[in-house]
Amino acid sequence: MTVWIDADLCNGCKRCVKTCPYEGVEMRDGKAHILERCTSCGACIESCKQKAISSDAKPREIPDFSDRKGVWVYAEQREGTLHPVALELLGKAGELAEALNQEVSAVLLGDGVAHLAETVIRYGADHVILVEDPCLEQYRTVPYTDAMEMLIRRFNPNILLMGATHIGRDLAPRISRRVAVGLTADCTELTIDPHEKILLQTRPAFGGNVMATIANRYSRPQMATVRPGVMEQKETPGKKGDIIPENLSMSEQDIPTKVLEIVREAKKRGDLSKAKIIVAGGRGVGDADGFKVLENLAAALGGETAGTRVAVEEGWIPADRQVGQTGQSVRPELYIACGISGAIQHRAGIVNARYIVAINKDERAPIFQVADWGIVGDLHDLVPEMIRQLESA
Ligand SMILES: Cc1cc2nc3c(=O)[nH]c(=O)nc-3n(C[C@H](O)[C@H](O)[C@H](O)COP(=O)(O)OP(=O)(O)OC[C@H]3O[C@@H](n4cnc5c(N)ncnc54)[C@H](O)[C@@H]3O)c2cc1C
């Protein structure tokens, strides 16, 4: 495929030079010139207002997806309890479906999980595709992937949303590979393009320094994962929906893995994504003992403790307490950030906090840009004083 310039039409505006992501265009004698490193991506052609750039590439055709209908949410459940992210996704799915004039379906897989159908309907599902099979009693990668693949091929959904939980992070890429579609992980926003009616999937990129919006024009379903706590649940009491039971004839003999024993985590802390009050610490806390003081403040307020990646790397808090781009997204009423600088990757996890209080020695710390109240001072003096005042109140 070749790209060429009509020198008579080129007015030397350099728009194509600036647009080319591969530095494949340069100016020579006031005219654009295509270099060997051109990848024929076509970005320069779209940018040229003079219509001076042409290519012999045939424009890629967008397949006819008129038979692909419905916004699906994978209704993740464990031992008969729905994961909150499923309900959060149903809220967003409702908005997307409305923009597309389509309907929302929840996909409920398991054994003895039919009682959950009523809840997913109340939170936004118009239909519940229910597969109950002993092979699906415990989550296992292969049977769950098989089941989702069969359902996708049977129903041809337009969009599939899944939670970026441990299970979702395992299952979503498998499904996308099986049905040969792309997958945008850890989206923070999902909308429908009003013209093309495709899913616009926004997520942080390049270490959180830019927000990238990704769209998939050429395959279906359009697949995205979203972390727990990012989207809002919307409950509609009395909402009606129907249950579509599906039999997938699964056989234990076809599954290479068996669950022999379930070993539960000994210590179960509160769920950060549901916490109303979070006291979080960063490098400024200094050590693990410093975190014990934060725990006392959290206990006095009836909240949870969390921290930055630095606090996790230092071993002061467990990894499941990390807030931020590569940790959890939280939406508490109150987030108290102690000794946290406010790096963009940390802030990505607290955008949905209602109120942020920041305690930092450095008045120029970026956390103060997003804080509702800022206290410039030493947390080692301030936090014990806060505990004292709370206890005497
Ligand atoms: C791809 C990528 C993903 C990342 N993901 C995450 C993520 O998910 N979560 C995350 O948190 N980070 C993440 N990071 C790391 C992030 O860039 C920052 O390095 C990190 O958030 C900084 O942590 P901190 O605020 O604890 O430390 P620092 O930036 O070192 O800040 C410490 C702050 O404490 C203050 N301080 C010191 N002593 C005191 C005191 N006695 N009293 C009061 N204040 C004091 C200082 O003034 C300073 O502002 C990621 C980075 C990358 C590149």
Side-chain angles (χ1 to χ4, degrees):
M1 199 178 86
T2 324
V3 177
W4 65 88
I5 310 257
D6 183 332
D8 292 337
L9 291 176
C10 175
N11 66 355
C13 73
K14 296 189 191 155
R15 198 173 271 118
C16 53
V17 176
K18 289 179 202 147
T19 307
C20 178
Y22 304 101
E23 297 183 357
V25 194
E26 70 175 23
M27 300 305 291
R28 286 187 192 168
D29 301 327
K31 302 281 180 187
H33 182 85
I34 304 288
L35 301 175
E36 259 186 34
R37 64 167 77 103
C38 165
T39 64
S40 309
C41 72
C44 57
I45 301 175
E46 282 176 34
S47 74
C48 181
K49 296 215 163 140
Q50 302 303 114
K51 306 245 177 286
I53 312 178
S54 317
S55 130
D56 54 8
K58 286 199 191 88
R60 194 172 164 191
E61 262 184 44
I62 299 175
D64 176 14
F65 290 124
S66 52
D67 63 333
R68 304 298 175 119
K69 293 248 164 26
V71 181
W72 278 21
V73 171
Y74 171 67
E76 180 176 328
Q77 60 81 26
R78 294 178 200 184
E79 296 176 353
T81 305
L82 282 166
H83 194 289
V85 75
L87 307 181
E88 292 158 14
L89 290 175
L90 283 165
K92 176 51 79 176
E95 288 172 26
L96 303 176
E98 197 181 330
L100 290 166
N101 202 16
Q102 297 185 3
E103 292 186 314
V104 177
S105 295
V107 184
L108 190 51
L109 308 182
D111 196 24
V113 291
H115 63 284
L116 301 174
E118 188 259 325
T119 309
V120 291
I121 290 171
R122 221 174 48 245
Y123 280 83
D126 301 304
H127 312 283
V128 182
I129 300 170
L130 174 67
V131 183
E132 293 199 286
D133 192 302
C135 295
L136 299 172
E137 186 189 352
Q138 303 288 346
Y139 173 77
R140 281 177 292 171
T141 309
V142 172
Y144 271 68
T145 309
D146 290 346
M148 289 300 289
E149 182 189 0
M150 285 189 261
L151 293 173
I152 289 169
R153 297 199 187 283
R154 210 173 266 187
F155 288 91
N156 289 331
N158 183 9
I159 292 172
L160 169 59
L161 307 180
M162 300 178 68
T165 58
H166 291 300
I167 287 180
R169 284 174 199 270
D170 181 60
L171 185 56
R174 305 276 180 151
I175 299 169
S176 79
R177 172 69 186 81
R178 285 274 190 95
V179 296
V181 302
L183 166 68
T184 310
D186 292 346
C187 296
T188 51
E189 181 52 339
L190 298 167
T191 51
I192 298 294
D193 179 278
H195 306 294
E196 289 192 59
K197 298 286 179 195
I198 53 175
L199 182 66
L200 301 180
Q201 307 155 82
T202 303
R203 55 152 296 151
F206 297 111
N209 291 317
V210 293
M211 296 304 280
T213 296
I214 296 157
N216 173 7
R217 286 198 175 92
Y218 302 102
S219 57
R220 295 290 183 274
Q222 301 163 87
M223 276 188 74
T225 64
V226 178
R227 286 205 234 154
V230 174
M231 306 292 176
E232 241 176 294
Q233 296 182 7
K234 288 177 196 155
E235 189 181 3
T236 314
K239 185 178 178 306
K240 297 267 179 285
D242 63 340
I243 299 172
I244 307 169
E246 285 293 308
N247 183 357
L248 299 180
S249 312
M250 305 187 82
S251 160
E252 193 59 46
Q253 280 167 351
D254 301 333
I255 304 169
T257 51
K258 309 273 170 250
V259 178
L260 301 179
E261 190 189 357
I262 297 172
V263 182
R264 289 181 201 287
E265 218 182 331
K267 197 173 163 208
K268 197 79 197 141
R269 287 172 297 270
D271 185 348
L272 262 196
S273 66
K274 286 191 209 146
K276 294 277 173 241
I277 297 175
I278 295 176
V279 179
R283 196 196 305 273
V285 174
D287 53 23
D289 285 340
F291 264 89
K292 294 212 174 92
V293 184
L294 297 198
E295 271 168 31
N296 293 341
L297 177 59
L301 290 163
E304 297 287 336
T305 43
T308 63
R309 188 162 96 171
V310 169
V312 172
E313 284 168 353
E314 292 289 341
W316 301 339
I317 50 163
D320 67 358
R321 299 275 102 182
Q322 181 182 321
V323 169
Q325 186 194 323
T326 44
Q328 294 208 49
S329 296
V330 293
R331 48 168 67 238
E333 292 290 311
L334 178 61
Y335 188 85
I336 305 180
C338 308
I340 293 176
S341 60
I344 184 127
Q345 295 88 357
H346 186 77
R347 278 154 49 182
I350 58 173
V351 283
N352 289 318
R354 180 136 188 229
Y355 297 114
I356 297 173
V357 174
I359 303 172
N360 200 302
K361 279 203 303 201
D362 177 4
E363 63 182 14
R364 289 161 306 153
I367 191 75
F368 289 129
Q369 294 164 14
V370 292
D372 298 279
W373 293 282
I375 308 173
V376 179
D378 191 329
L379 69 93
H380 300 298
D381 300 331
L382 289 160
V383 175
E385 181 57 28
M386 286 163 84
I387 298 168
R388 230 179 345 265
Q389 293 207 15
L390 279 164
E391 283 174 350
S392 64

